[in-house]
Amino acid sequence: SQQGEEDPQALSIQEGENATMNCSYKTSINNLQWYRQNSGRGLVHLILIRSNEREKHSGRLRVTLDTSKKSSSLLITASRAADTASYFCATEYYTGANSKLTFGKGITLSVRP
Amino acid sequence: DGGITQSPKYLFRKEGQNVTLSCEQNLNHDAMYWYRQDPGQGLRLIYYSQIVNDFQKGDIAEGYSVSREKKESFPLTVTSAQKNPTAFYLCASSISHQGAGYTFGSGTRLTVV
């Protein structure tokens, strides 16, 4: 079953605006990751936030994690046309040697020039 | 440059044929994964391998087989038992099986003709 559910399913903004994407999940996690996928290509890892972290930054990206609400958000500041892509959250949970990374269905972001 | 190479980029399969998708990495990663992506869907895990000569079934392993004879290589065979093989297949690797982001290949699009 897919754990992470992104919201909204699609987002269209003007270049220069900020884009906020949300992810909710149902069970305990060890970390949550965000990936980007350009059309017809593989996924690119953007950022990983561990369950004991609340906020993380990487360039124009800011990720928050609220384990009490089982939710995360990805903020892209000062968006560019090149940010147009699908964005996926993935939750990882591991016990012992076993681990499972489960992906959501993704958010389609369109940045208009 | 280090990375993951998937080949071919496009593959056409006739009914009843087995086909093999190639995945090679030069990142010295221990863990490798195969995912299937259908339109508008997230990624679903087919098989994964934490170490050479060992692999485990994912959520949708039926109709697929893998081998891990070398650290660098993790080929996926789509057998005739897979009734709906048309999809985008993504290979990934990570430095460890837990707590690390994944590096993805650029994918193979398989179509049944």
Side-chain angles (χ1 to χ4, degrees):
Chain A
S1 62
Q2 292 182 328
Q3 159 125 275
E5 290 191 10
E6 297 96 342
D7 169 65
Q9 290 186 343
L11 182 61
S12 180
I13 59 174
Q14 199 73 33
E15 202 166 28
E17 293 179 339
N18 294 344
T20 300
M21 291 167 271
N22 302 300
C23 173
S24 59
Y25 57 92
K26 296 188 174 77
T27 61
S28 297
I29 62 171
N30 292 89
N31 66 68
L32 186 144
Q33 304 176 30
W34 285 92
Y35 290 80
R36 184 187 76 232
Q37 183 181 35
N38 289 88
S39 181
R41 306 300 302 272
L43 278 70
V44 175
H45 180 255
L46 296 176
I47 200 162
L48 180 154
I49 186 165
R50 303 191 190 282
S51 60
N52 61 353
E53 298 175 311
R54 292 296 166 257
E55 188 171 314
K56 212 163 179 181
H57 296 254
S58 177
R60 293 185 296 114
L61 306 181
R62 172 177 168 253
V63 169
T64 61
L65 179 64
D66 187 334
T67 53
S68 66
K69 294 181 180 177
K70 291 187 168 58
S71 68
S72 172
S73 66
L74 170 67
L75 169 69
I76 303 175
T77 59
S79 64
R80 305 166 182 167
D83 294 327
T84 294
S86 292
Y87 291 81
F88 294 85
C89 76
T91 53
E92 185 173 21
Y93 177 70
Y94 39 86
T95 55
N98 294 316
S99 169
K100 187 162 187 176
L101 186 65
T102 305
F103 287 82
K105 294 184 179 181
I107 297 171
T108 301
L109 173 66
S110 298
V111 181
R112 304 185 300 274
Chain B
D1 286 339
I4 296 186
T5 302
Q6 288 188 243
S7 62
K9 190 172 175 66
Y10 300 96
L11 187 56
F12 297 90
R13 190 193 94 167
K14 293 182 180 178
E15 296 279 353
Q17 267 186 342
N18 292 354
V19 291
T20 297
L21 284 60
S22 170
C23 178
E24 304 275 334
Q25 54 101 355
N26 61 2
L27 299 164
N28 201 32
H29 285 174
D30 285 317
M32 296 188 74
Y33 311 84
W34 274 106
Y35 285 89
R36 170 181 171 140
Q37 185 178 30
D38 293 283
Q41 300 294 313
L43 278 65
R44 291 184 290 167
L45 181 64
I46 305 172
Y47 268 98
Y48 66 96
S49 168
Q50 297 183 52
I51 199 166
V52 175
N53 292 322
D54 183 63
F55 49 83
Q56 307 294 330
K57 292 182 179 179
D59 298 320
I60 55 165
E62 186 175 350
Y64 300 97
S65 66
V66 293
S67 63
R68 186 87 187 276
E69 296 175 2
K70 298 186 299 181
K71 188 175 187 177
E72 303 80 21
S73 179
F74 192 40
L76 173 74
T77 296
V78 184
T79 75
S80 57
Q82 171 50 241
K83 297 306 177 192
N84 184 22
T86 295
F88 190 48
Y89 290 87
L90 288 159
C91 179
S93 71
S94 65
I95 195 162
S96 72
H97 186 50
Q98 294 178 354
Y102 289 11
T103 301
F104 280 83
S106 56
T108 292
R109 189 166 298 280
L110 173 63
T111 304
V112 174
V113 294

